[in-house]
Structure formats: structure tokens, C-alpha cells
Amino acid sequence: MGRMNDSTAREGRERPAPARSRLAAAQRERLLGELRACARGVGGEVSARERASKLGASYLRLDDAGRHEFLRLIALEFGPDPAAVAEAHRLFQQSVGTPAQWDAEMHLRAALRSSRIRLLTQFNALPQGVKFLVDLRADLLRYLADDAELAVLDRELEARLTAWFDVGFLELHRITWNSPAFLLEKLIQYEAVHEIRSWTDLRNRLEADRRCYAFFHPRMPAEPLIFVEVALTRALADNIQALLDESAPVLDARKADTAIFYSISNTQKGLRGVSFGSFLLKRVIDDLKRDLPRLGTFATLSPMPDLRAWTEATPGALPDSVTPEELEKVAAAAGRPLDPAGLRELLADPEWVSRRKLAAALHDPLLRLAARYLLEARRDGRPVDPVARFHLGNGARLERLDWMADLSPKGLRRSWGMMVNYLYEPEAIEENVERYSGRGEIAAAYSVRRYLKRPKS
Amino acid sequence: MGRMNDSTAREGRERPAPARSRLAAAQRERLLGELRACARGVGGEVSARERASKLGASYLRLDDAGRHEFLRLIALEFGPDPAAVAEAHRLFQQSVGTPAQWDAEMHLRAALRSSRIRLLTQFNALPQGVKFLVDLRADLLRYLADDAELAVLDRELEARLTAWFDVGFLELHRITWNSPAFLLEKLIQYEAVHEIRSWTDLRNRLEADRRCYAFFHPRMPAEPLIFVEVALTRALADNIQALLDESAPVLDARKADTAIFYSISNTQKGLRGVSFGSFLLKRVIDDLKRDLPRLGTFATLSPMPDLRAWTEATPGALPDSVTPEELEKVAAAAGRPLDPAGLRELLADPEWVSRRKLAAALHDPLLRLAARYLLEARRDGRPVDPVARFHLGNGARLERLDWMADLSPKGLRRSWGMMVNYLYEPEAIEENVERYSGRGEIAAAYSVRRYLKRPKS
Amino acid sequence: MGRMNDSTAREGRERPAPARSRLAAAQRERLLGELRACARGVGGEVSARERASKLGASYLRLDDAGRHEFLRLIALEFGPDPAAVAEAHRLFQQSVGTPAQWDAEMHLRAALRSSRIRLLTQFNALPQGVKFLVDLRADLLRYLADDAELAVLDRELEARLTAWFDVGFLELHRITWNSPAFLLEKLIQYEAVHEIRSWTDLRNRLEADRRCYAFFHPRMPAEPLIFVEVALTRALADNIQALLDESAPVLDARKADTAIFYSISNTQKGLRGVSFGSFLLKRVIDDLKRDLPRLGTFATLSPMPDLRAWTEATPGALPDSVTPEELEKVAAAAGRPLDPAGLRELLADPEWVSRRKLAAALHDPLLRLAARYLLEARRDGRPVDPVARFHLGNGARLERLDWMADLSPKGLRRSWGMMVNYLYEPEAIEENVERYSGRGEIAAAYSVRRYLKRPKS
Amino acid sequence: MGRMNDSTAREGRERPAPARSRLAAAQRERLLGELRACARGVGGEVSARERASKLGASYLRLDDAGRHEFLRLIALEFGPDPAAVAEAHRLFQQSVGTPAQWDAEMHLRAALRSSRIRLLTQFNALPQGVKFLVDLRADLLRYLADDAELAVLDRELEARLTAWFDVGFLELHRITWNSPAFLLEKLIQYEAVHEIRSWTDLRNRLEADRRCYAFFHPRMPAEPLIFVEVALTRALADNIQALLDESAPVLDARKADTAIFYSISNTQKGLRGVSFGSFLLKRVIDDLKRDLPRLGTFATLSPMPDLRAWTEATPGALPDSVTPEELEKVAAAAGRPLDPAGLRELLADPEWVSRRKLAAALHDPLLRLAARYLLEARRDGRPVDPVARFHLGNGARLERLDWMADLSPKGLRRSWGMMVNYLYEPEAIEENVERYSGRGEIAAAYSVRRYLKRPKS
């Protein structure tokens, strides 16, 4: 949302620039000393927290290199003592099968406990402590890409955040045009699927025939963790433009029979691996059913973000999806001879969309391509498409492919304007999850599966 | 705020168009019957309120002509009985000076009590009853312009609204970027002094060095009744552009010494004559002092909305404000000979603003004109300028004239870009009010008064 | 609630005793001057309010005699000018029947407007301004009993309070065991029908099969204005002891078919004549229906507070209610000869209640007495019983007389333990009100009316 | 709080009695199957949570024996696989000192991760999930007393609760007479130091010169976790009777110079080992300072709960505290010859308190005994007195012994009516903690230490 965040906003302009500091040896020593004092709890827990809170403030003043070193210090200097672990392990293995096993297990676990998490937890004393740690993990994840030794710290932090952000602690709130402006502004900033172009666009997404829900953590009340935008419609929506059309009439919500989840955005990079998307959908469906008992169909209108990238990385993908007859028809409509390579080129220019005959000729080949992408392109037995992985993992069914469903530049670039509906059928969810997680089977409607058939040539 | 309200907003598009209905004789009779039943309280108060609430709903479905007749019915058919009034009056006058006078006064007042207000009060049972009556009065005021017989009803309704909107019932709330979006949207719609051009403009007006306060009525929580926008500054602001500049740095509010009230907007036409502006300023000043004890100066940066109109309607105004020498200088700067009529013409084209020499030559004459306008142009002994009447009536002092203070098209059109500061000095307020309300004396700083001096020629 | 308010509570013990002050002539003059300054609005409305607020504070420091004189000053010194009224009246009568009538009416009303209400309204600027005025009126009503000249002020104040406490402004809140303790303490203090004996008794009245609702004014949030206690039962309750039994099992509210209003208490003496009881019942019934759709019967279990007093003041009442045969039976059960005077004596000692045979012999005569009291004992065409007046005026039906329904000392003293059910049948309410308010007809079930039959002797 | 909870309360009487069930083999197998399905996350996380929530409900229906077995199942069947642990440990020890160490540590920790906590966490999906787990741990702690094999599960649960109840998540709320009655009722139930005898007693503890604060968890809003009662006084309080006297005058809080913490109660047995008492005191002191800047002294008035028990278990304690001369004086006052054993007997009868001379003679010996108890009676280098351990561990100083400070039966029985003040001096806290936690040194004022001197004989 460029316009909202651009350089004309006066906010924050008094914030001092972070000092460009490399950690000098002396500074490093001082820091290490302070970390050790915190870890030991010198002067009692209360004092330790106060010291940690100062330490947290200095972390915020460090530049990226400094923060990286700070985190390395925690990762590498505060691990468990290998000798103590060895001894506890010896006793544990000795005791296996005896009544002493449980006690020994407990002691082994204690020996393996590091001071890292104790240190990090103390930062929770900062005024925005939880947010601080979530942002610290976002830093950590960036450094981790090039510094695998941080993984041990990341895993401990992830475990702690998983405990803290347990779905049982999250609060589901509906977001409406009555919500505070600063919160709505965050939706504009965080929306990751279909950009919110203006406040009018936003208000349109909060009209009487729309719903928006988010999960919040009680200690981060100003930050939606994940949010979903829902359109209440009659029949399955097949087109995102129509849903976002600000001039379309507003439907009486009580007359809707279908809820379309058309955008789900995670907002906190530091919570990677802490998942609550499936719970969000479950609770939103429950809430919608209670409010609007006429709703019978719950489905998404979803992008296929990597279709184009996969096609380009998979040499046979496009050629195999088109029969010679179809290729001829396309060539005829395009007004020039075409081989598969030429087809790729033709598709690279969005101009084809506006040429009716050409588009018609491309319909079957592209849908076939999309069906293969979703159903057959796998990595570790799971679909390569991340959106498919999410919804199928939650027990949804691949219900329908939508042609010319998102003609925005992004939509054309990523999936030639196609989208897909995933259907959440409460009674089928559990079985779908089992078959998917066990055997990697994907629940898909015939209208999708039929595109897998070998095209008659 | 065109953009916010334009035809692309989907909201309300299902609201049925109001039925185009003239009150036919039959309908009129039916209505009159229903009004009488309400006024009599047939079936008890509870039933009467329910009936009134239906009647209120039918009022909303009437077109303008229908509503006008509806209000005439109430005004003309539900007055007191003149004979009963005469008898009660006779007894009252007889009793004057005796202990029975007070009882007789009470009975005379009762005899004069009409059923009109009882009827209107019953509409309070509607879900948004108070807002309904405020809007009904807005209708009434429109019809009143051409139908003086409605005045009696208007006066009764005004008295009731004055009781209901007593300042003791109003709640002062600060409005911030945390406030609900629908409320902020209302600021955009209602802002009457300096148009809010966008959500970014609005956010700028709610930054850390700005304040916005509004009065609310407990039964109209979604409607600010009046709101004031305040800028926290160092020294008296002399320029509205600078205050509204979205790219200006944000001042640390605790360092400000001056609070500038740069916009006050009443929002409810139906509350004409029910005044709370002076209380709003008083309470805002109290709140600011408590929050930011360093604030020492409380002043406005105000427009002179009718300066141009008054100048044009007052033949001598402009010629008398310029000396021959000054006129010559202006002519020289303009590059053409000028008589007073030519001067008027010259000023009609905002182009003079950007010509430095010309503007310099116009400085003294225009400020002189403004000083006379504020200090000498009177109607009923009070200044003709409505903003001056408001602030002087509240005990403020005319502190300074500001040159090139509002170069927006509106500012140039209305007062050739000049503005004025009114200063609220807590210790002087009471005396200022007394001198103003008693003898029409205007408190004004020397820097303003000196422009009244006959220009040396 | 002696225990709650007794001398052991430490609260308020630092409050200084009010100064015993008679209004000396000088003080009276000073006060009059200040009142006049307020009434004139010297120094502007804001200053006037501030002055009024100081005046209000001095009122609170006055003793009763001082307050009485203060109110007399307002009543007698701030009335309208009789000469101005006479002139306005002349013009009004002249204009009757002409288009100028409405304007003249408006002016007559203005001439009759006193400064009293303006003065009182200004006290609204006090922090607890509304409560101040309500309490001031409670004072006024006390003085009024011996000083009829205050009636004119009382009537104006009542009119203003009626406007301010319009039912449209009141908020219905449910009171539960979750409510603030200070609020629950007020229920204990204000309960006027069946004393709340302890916090355990109170908690019992807020259990899952009980409801308690109150009206609040937005400016008196700490004061319930009126509250009603409801028991959810199966079938019409005929016994208050059973309802208040702390050891009775709690009914699942969803299984209840009947809501019994067993206690309604007004709390503010200063709001005499401002009625909201009927609205309270209406809104509570609506709320209960929405919450618990199984509820089909809405009725009261009510006392007959003046039955005993009326019986004693009405020589024939008791003798006419008993046949010679019945009197004989009573005498036999009592074990001594009895004439009607003796009967009265017998009833004065509550001991008869515990003698089964005696009680059985008294059953018919006493119910007959009660039926006559409710249906035939009238004043100005309305029942003498205040509770009956309230419920019949609201459209309820006298449904049943309850024998041995309140055996508390108060219940025995006031109505020999009998109570009565009033039934609110939504469809019948309007007609009941009309028949009652028009012709004084009382809706009563046969089970009550049959006791009016002349006893066969 | 017998009176509040006794059999007259109607609440909860519809709750069915828990089924007396031993876990039959079949039931045990079924349960184990369900636990395994939850642990595996069959059907996805959402379904697993739903299944866990049903499992949690069945736990609540089990009797104590059943619950014990249920917890044993979790403790013993869901531990880590020893072989996998052994392998991960081998790789870890191999990698120590190499860059692979951190990765190996991470894998060892993963291998040691049990499914127990995953199972328990899933119960968080229950409506009152957090409270459920806290109460489950209270059960667990009871069974643990006789079943050491549960320790491993307890330690894992404690670790999870420690994460969840991190002080950074707790909310400090002030509790006043405005708080919900159900919450105040909980204070009455949970108060562990000085019983709250009635609602009047409670109200007295919430008067203007009292404060009460509690920590709450956002997911247990109806449960105070720990609360402290504070009296605002002039000078250090030396007597609990005076503080709780309902008829004592209320002090203007702004005039107080001292805050006395006279009661601190933990409420949740299931949170044993999760400590927040020191944070509570810290935050309350901060809040009090902000509110009432005149407060300069923060201290407790505390019991010595085990003085009597320790004295009786320590043969020399009493004899060593009294000199022969003192013993003689006591004997004289008592009117009979006394040896140390007789002294013990004399003290057993509280009657001595009311005999002035006798009490005077006992003053020095008993204070000497108390000083030794607090300063010299140690276990593992820490004082045996639990209250002393708590406050000294938080950095307080033993400030004064108070004679005849708690003459309640409990106070006399436990410590012959003596109490003690611990002083919190912000500047000294950190050093006190260090000296105490390091060398076991106790900060104590001379007025206490002087009683350690060998009595001159």
C-alpha cells in the first residue's frame, strides 16, 4: 500500500536513526557479561527482568550486524553442558524399564535445558515484550538463511512462541468499519493476496455483505496475527474482480447461501511455523453459521501463485497440455504459426486475454495445465502449490478451476488469470485430512479431475 | 468530501427510494387521528409510544411536501385552548401580589402547555429517537424559511432540544487515529472550515502534535455534535498551509507552548440555536492544560468568511482603506494605472498573490480593510463577521491579523488569503464577555487596532 | 438494611458535619445577588455555569432551614413579570383565529418563561449535576408539604426532570452477581418490597433462575432508578417465602414457563411523578421473551400494602365479609365466642396463622375482604390500593388471590399474609388500559370476582 | 469462608455427582486409544483439538481414582523412545566442539520431546482450557505425593504453565468495591492469612485508605492468581487488629506515608512453583508511588506461621530464650513456681495475654525466641519460616518484631500473638537479594538483631 506509507506521512519522523555499530570486542564482552547476569538471575528475578529490559532496548538500537552477533552470543554461549548431559543420559539409559526411568528422563531433560530461552523470555518484561520477541525472531530467520548455527536458538524460540501463541490463547475478532482506523490501516499494509488500493476499497470489503475476521493475541492487541476476508454471495464466486467491484450492489447478507474466503494473510514473519490458519477458518465458519444459518457452502476463491514459475521450470508441462489440434486452433486465432516455444511466448504477453477467439482456443490447454499443476506436481508427496498445500492439509476439496478469474497484472503474471475454488465440507474434512496426510491423496471434484485425462489427439 | 461519498460506495444501495406521496385528504385525516391518539395517550403510555414510533417511521417515508404538511398538522392542531388560557390568565393577574400568585402562575403555564411537544417527545421511542428529532428539526427549519406559522412548533422543539442537549449531558471525547473508522469518516464529511482532502490528510490532523475533540450526546454515540481541531505549536501559528502540511515534521507535544484551534465545526443543522461551542473550548483548554502543563497560549487561527462579501456590499470600504500613495505603489507594481475600481478588479484575480512586489504593496491596505471589517463593521452592535461574533462572545481577544495565511482558492476568494488569531486568556475572558455583551466593546491587541488609524496621506 | 449502613462502616466518617446555619439577612442578600448573576448569565454562559456550580456547593453545605430558604428565593424571586405576561396575553387573544396566532402564542409562552429553571439547569454543571437536582427535588418535596408556595418551583422542576428522564434516554441493564458490589449494595438499600436480609439472600435473588433489571440514566450511572426482581418458575407462584428460600433448588431457566415479577422498587424520591415503571415492565418482558422463548406467562406476586389500614378505617368492611355461619366456625376453632369486634382482635395476633383449623375457618372471609378491597374500594374512581393502581393502570389483570403467601411480620401486619397475582397478557393490555382509564373498569379473573358474591347466609 | 459456601447456597445444586468409576481394562484401552489419536493429530489439528476437548470433558467426569489412572497413562505411555534418544545423544557428544554441535543439540532435544505436553496442550481447546490445566495440575500434585512416577509429567506440565503464566502476560488489576461481586466473593474464599469474616469486613478492606491488587491471566479473567491487601497508614503498623477494625476512622489516602502489605494470598494450587509474588509486590509499589507520591515506606505486617511448631520441635529453643531472672519474674507474675517445661504449659493457655504483669514478664523472652526463629533457625541455609523465606528472597529487610500484634486465636496459637515487619527499601533490594541468595545473609534491623544477644544472666 504505497500511498499509505509513503514519505508524506509525518509519523515517526522524529525517531533517531539506529546507530551504525559493529560490536567491538569490548562491547561484545560487556554484552556477554550482561547476558550472563540475566541468565543467572543476579539480584533476583525482578532485577533480572529489569536488566533484561534494558538489554532488549540496546538490541533495538543495534544495526543488523550487531543484532546478528547479539543473537549468536545467545545461541552459542548459553547451551547446555555436554558433560552434564552425558552423565544424565547414562543414568537415563541405565534406568530404562525400571521405575527410575521417569525420574531419569526428567533429569536428562533438565540437563539439556539451555539458558537461551530463559534469556529470551525475560525480554517479555519490555512494554511490548511479545511483539519484541516476534520481531526478534523475524531478524533471526533472516540471519539463519546464511548462518546455520543459529538454528538451535531458532528452534527453541519457535517452541516458546508455539506455546505462547497456542490457539487456545488467541481471540477471534470481527473487523468492521467500526474498528479503529489504525487497525484498518494495518489490514491495508498486511493484505498479501489482493492489494487494498484505497480506503474506499477497504470500506467496500467491510460492507454488509462482507466479513473480515482476525486472530489476536491478548498481549499484542494492536496486531492482527492472521486475517481472512469473506464475501457472502449466492452461488460459488468465480471471479475476483466482481467481488472487489466497488460499484456492485450490496447483497442482503441474510439472503446469501455461500461464504467465499477470498483472501487470507499472515502478518507476522516472526511466527513462521506457528500455524493457526486452519483454526481461523474453523472458527470463522462456526461464527458465520451461527449468525447466518442460511449459509450452506463455505469455499475459497484462491490464486495459484506458482503456476507460471512451475510451468517455466518444467519443460514438458506446457507442451504436454496442448494437443496438436489445439495448437493449430491457437495459431489460427493468433494469426501466426506456433510451436510450443512460441506458445510460451504468446502467453507471456497479456494481450491474448482481450482477444476473444484466441482466449477461447487457450481455454482447454491452460485449464489442463492448471489441473496437472495442482494434482500432479508434487514435492515430498505434497502439491508444490503452497495455497493448495494449506487448504488440502486443512481438509478442503479442490472444487473448480476458474477461467479469467483474476485479470490483474499479478493474476495474469502468476497464473494466466486462472483461480481455483477449494470447498470446505464440514462432514468430509476429517476424512480428507486423513487421506491427504496419510497417502497424499487429493480430494478433487470431477470438474477438475477430468482435465487430467490425456487429451485426445 | 466528494470522493468519500460518491457513487462508487456500495453502502445503502438497497435502501428503497422514499415514496413520492402528497398527503391526500384521507391520508391527512388518518394521520391527524393517529396524532390525536398519541397526544391523548390512548391505551396507556407504553402503547402510545409504540404508536408514535410507527408514526415516526411513516414520517420518514414521506417526501418533503408530505413532511411539511405533517409538521403543519402538529403545529396548528395541537396548540393550547385560547379560552382556557384566558381564564387561567384572569386568575393569575387577579392573584398577583397575593400568596395565590404562584399557584395561579403554575396553572397558567399548564393551560398554555401544548400537546405538540408531548407528541414529538414520543418519537424518542424510535431506536434512533434523538437523532430522529434532530433531523426532523432540520426539516422544520427548511420549511420555516417559507412558512412562518411553523415558528411556534420550532420554538417548542428548540426548547426541548435545549433541555436534552444541555451541556451537562454532553460527553467530551478525544478523537484519535484509534477511533472507529466510521467516526473518522464523519469528520471528513462534517469538516466545515478546511476541507479534509484524504485519509492521509486526516491522519496528519491526528498526529502526536495534533488534538481533536468532540462533544457527544449519550443517545447519539455515532454522531459528533461539534468538534474542534487543535495544533500544538511553538509560538502563535500564522499560516494554515503550514499546519496542514503532511510533510512537516511532528513536534514532540510536550515541547509545545501554544495550542491553536484551527477548525471548529458544528455538525447538526437541527441543533441550530442550541449552543455548546463555548463550553467545548473551555473543556478542551482544561483538558489540554492538565495533559500538557507547558501550554501557556490558547488561540485560534480563524477565517474571516465574509470579508470579501462585505467589501463588495460596502462601496467605501476598499477606497477608504488605501491612500493615494499606496494606490500608486500598487499600480507601479501591477504595471498599469489603477483607480479604486481597478483595484477591486485586480484583487479578483488571485494571480497577484504570486507577484512579490505587488503583494507587498497590497499588504497595508488589505490589513487595514480587515481591521475595519472586524472592529467597525457591525450589525445590531455586534461584528458582522460570524466567527468574530462567536469568539468575541466567548471572551476572546482579537490578537493578530495574518497575511498570506490561507492561500487555498476558498481562502483567497473569501478574504484575500488573510486570517486572524483570537486569543483566549483565561483571566481576561469574563471581563471581555461583560464589556462585549454590555457595551459591544471588542478586546483587540494594538497590532490590530493600529490598522484603524487614518492612513497618513 | 440496618447491618449494611450501621455505625461500624468506616466510610464517610471524615465528612464534616453540615454547618448549622440560619440564613442571616446579609447571607440572604448575597445569595440573592449570586442567583441573579447566574440568571442573567453575567460574563457568559461558561462563567455562569461555574458560578452556579459554586452556588450548588454552598447549597449542599446549608442545613435544612437554609436550603428551604434558598429554594424559596428561587421560587418567589425569579418568576415572570405579570405586566409583560398581561401584554403578551392581550396580543395572543387578539390574534386568535388569525395567522398571527401562532406567533403570539410563542411570545406569550416566552413571557411566561421564568428564570427558575434556567437557574436550576445551571446546577447541571456540577460533577454529579443530575443527581444533585434529583436530590434537591427530594428536599423540595419535603418542604412543599408545609409550604405550598414552593409548588410553582416544584412543577417547573418536575417538568424539567420529566424531559431529562424521558424513557427514551433510560438504559435497561440486567443486574447479576457479576455487577459491581457497590451497585448490589444499592439494591440492598433500596429494596422496598421484600427486604434483602444479607448478601446470601441477594445472591440467591440473582441465581440462574432469577432475573433483575434496572433502568439507569446515562448521567447517573451509579444509581438504579427503578428495579424489578423476577423469578422464573413453572406455573404461577403463590408464595413469596418459596421464592426467597435460599435452600430451594435452582431451576434450569430454559425450562421455565412463567416469569414472576415479585418486587418493583423506585429508588429516587426526587423523581416523584416521573414514571417509568410501565416501560420497565414492557422492556423486561420483551427481553425475557427474546432470551427465553418458552416463557408464556408474565405475572406479578404482589402485596396489598394497605388492606389492613383500609379495613380498620372502614367499619363495615370486616363484618360484611363474614357470614354468621362462618363467624361461628371461626369461634369454634378459636375456642371462644366471637363477635365482629372480637374477630378483629383475633386477627391482630398473628398466632392464628399457625392454628390450622382456625386458619381454614378464616380463609373465605379474608379472601372476600381482599377481593372487595381490590375491586370495590375506590378513591376518585380508582382502587385505593397503590399497587393495584399501578398494575391495573399498566393494563394488567387481577388474576388470583394467594392465601398464606407472605407470612413475614410485615406481610401479616399489612394483609394477613395474603398476596395477589396481576397478569400481564400482551394482547389484552391495551384494551384493559382503555377500559380502566376510561370507565374505571377492572379486569379480574373469575377466581377473584367470585369472592364479591354476597355470601350465602 | 464457611458462611459463603454453605449448604444454603442454591448454586450448582443441579450439577450431577461424578460417576464413581474405576477404570476397567476396556475403558483403559479405549482411553489409551483416544490419547494416542490425539497425540498423533489424526484428522488434522482442528479435529485433534475437538477430540481432546471431549477427552477433557470425560476427565472431569472421572472420580479421583480414575483421574489418577488417566494421568498415569499420559505420564508412562507417552514418553520419548530411549533408543532414539541414545542415537541422538551419541551424535551430539561426537559433535561437541565442532560447528555441528548446535544442530546435534537441537536433534537431541527433539528426540527427548515427549507427546505428553502436546496432549495436555490440546486441552487448551476446552472453553476454560487454561483453568482446566491448572486444576488438572492440582489433581496431579495430590497424586504425586504417593506416586513418584508422575513427577516426570508434573515437571513437563509445570514448565508449560511457567511459560503460559510468564509474568509478562499477567495483568495487574486493582480490586475495589466497584469490582464484580463474584470476584469479591473469590477474595473471601481465597484469603489465606486473615480470614475475611463478612462483606462488611471486606468492604472495610476496600475503603479509601486501603488498596487491593491482584494478578490475572488474560485467559482466566474470573480468577485472581494472587492478591495482596494494603493498608495506607502513618508510620509502620504494628498491630493487625487495628488495621482490620471496621470502626476505625478512614484516613485520607493522600496523607499516608506508609503502605503496609498485610496479606498476600496465592489462590491456585495448580500453579505451585510458578512464582509471581515478587513481581506483584514490585508492580504494586510502583503503582502506589505513582498514585500517592507521599508514600515513602513500603513494608509488611506478617505472621510467623511456624514459630510455635518450631519451638515445640526444638527442645532448647524456649529454655535458651529465657534467663533465670526472667523465669523468676514470670513465675512471680503467674503466681506459681515455674521450670521451662512449666513455661511451655503456661504459654499454651492464651489466658496469659490478658494478665498485664505476666505478659510484661514474657515480653523479652518471647521476642528473643522470635528473633532466633527468624534469624537462626535454618533449613538448607534458608530460614525455616516460609514467610521470611519469601520476603527475604525478594530483598526485604527484617525490620521489627511486633508484640501483641495478632491476638486472634490463630495468631496466639501460631506465634503467641507476635508478628513481624519486613521492609522493602527499593535501593537496598538488589544487594539484599545477592547477600541472601549467595551467602544466606539476612538483612535485619538492630531492633531485631539485639534480641540475639545472649541474655545477661
Side-chain angles (χ1 to χ4, degrees), chain A residues 24-47:
Chain A
Q27 194 188 0
R28 194 179 174 284
E29 273 322 291
R30 191 170 43 72
L31 215 52
L32 191 54
E34 286 171 18
L35 286 167
R36 286 198 174 119
C38 285
R40 266 212 312 124
V42 170
E45 278 305 305
V46 171
S47 305

Side-chain angles (χ1 to χ4, degrees), chain B residues 383-436:
Chain B
V384 299
D385 187 79
V387 177
R389 276 204 303 278
F390 176 72
H391 291 299
L392 298 172
N394 291 338
R397 179 169 81 162
L398 221 162
E399 186 64 8
R400 196 173 69 189
L401 294 168
D402 299 303
W403 179 243
M404 298 258 181
D406 177 6
L407 300 181
S408 73
K410 192 172 164 189
L412 286 168
R413 197 172 56 241
R414 305 209 303 189
S415 55
W416 296 291
M418 293 181 288
M419 299 188 79
V420 56
N421 298 116
Y422 297 95
L423 179 75
Y424 280 86
E425 248 183 331
E427 317 72 41
I429 284 178
E430 207 164 327
E431 199 195 324
N432 288 346
V433 168
E434 275 308 283
R435 288 169 55 187
Y436 175 80

Side-chain angles (χ1 to χ4, degrees), chain C residues 3-4 7-14 177-182 184-185 199-200 203-204 207 209-210 245-252 255, chain D residues 3-4 7-14 177-182 184-185 199-200 203-204 207 209-210 245-252 255:
Chain C
R3 250 151 319 131
M4 304 295 156
S7 59
T8 66
R10 299 193 299 134
E11 181 193 9
R13 235 156 314 115
E14 284 222 343
W177 190 239
N178 267 18
S179 301
F182 84 85
L184 298 184
E185 194 180 23
W199 284 83
T200 310
R203 195 177 60 171
N204 183 44
E207 282 288 6
D209 59 351
R210 295 289 184 266
D245 180 0
E246 296 170 14
S247 66
V250 174
L251 179 70
D252 180 341
K255 295 183 186 155
Chain D
R3 250 150 319 132
M4 303 295 155
S7 59
T8 65
R10 300 191 301 134
E11 181 192 11
R13 236 155 313 115
E14 284 221 342
W177 190 239
N178 266 17
S179 301
F182 84 85
L184 298 183
E185 194 180 24
W199 284 84
T200 309
R203 195 177 62 171
N204 183 44
E207 280 288 5
D209 59 352
R210 295 289 185 266
D245 181 359
E246 295 169 16
S247 66
V250 174
L251 179 70
D252 180 343
K255 295 182 186 155

